[in-house]
Amino acid sequence: MRLAPACARGCSLQLRPHEPADRIVAEAQVSGTGDWQMGSLPLKHKVTGSHDLYVVVKGAGRVAALDRLTIRP
């Protein structure tokens, strides 16, 4: 993933299957002020099959600008 964080602390991006309230399958803590960063998001749980995928943003105000998210097996 490539993102530019805009959160001082306590913010995250979460990946959830099926719906925004479903379990968290991956999570990245987000902090910093604007420089583009590359990172990876390891899965916490095995996910098989085809699913809708939701990026859920946690934090107050602007959290980050997300440029790209690549999903790999």
Side-chain angles (χ1 to χ4, degrees):
M1 96 181 131
R2 181 174 185 254
L3 60 86
C7 179
R9 61 185 174 135
C11 298
S12 65
L13 296 177
Q14 302 170 344
L15 297 182
R16 297 173 182 244
H18 307 295
E19 60 183 88
D22 205 348
R23 67 188 169 130
I24 298 169
V25 295
E27 183 173 24
Q29 298 304 311
V30 177
S31 65
T33 54
D35 292 333
W36 288 102
Q37 302 173 7
M38 294 292 292
S40 61
L41 208 57
L43 294 178
K44 295 180 175 187
H45 305 281
K46 184 176 181 177
V47 179
T48 58
S50 178
H51 304 276
D52 289 333
L53 183 64
Y54 292 84
V55 177
V56 177
V57 179
K58 295 291 184 176
R62 186 170 174 229
V63 173
L66 181 63
D67 179 52
R68 91 183 67 131
L69 176 65
T70 303
I71 309 293
R72 293 189 180 117

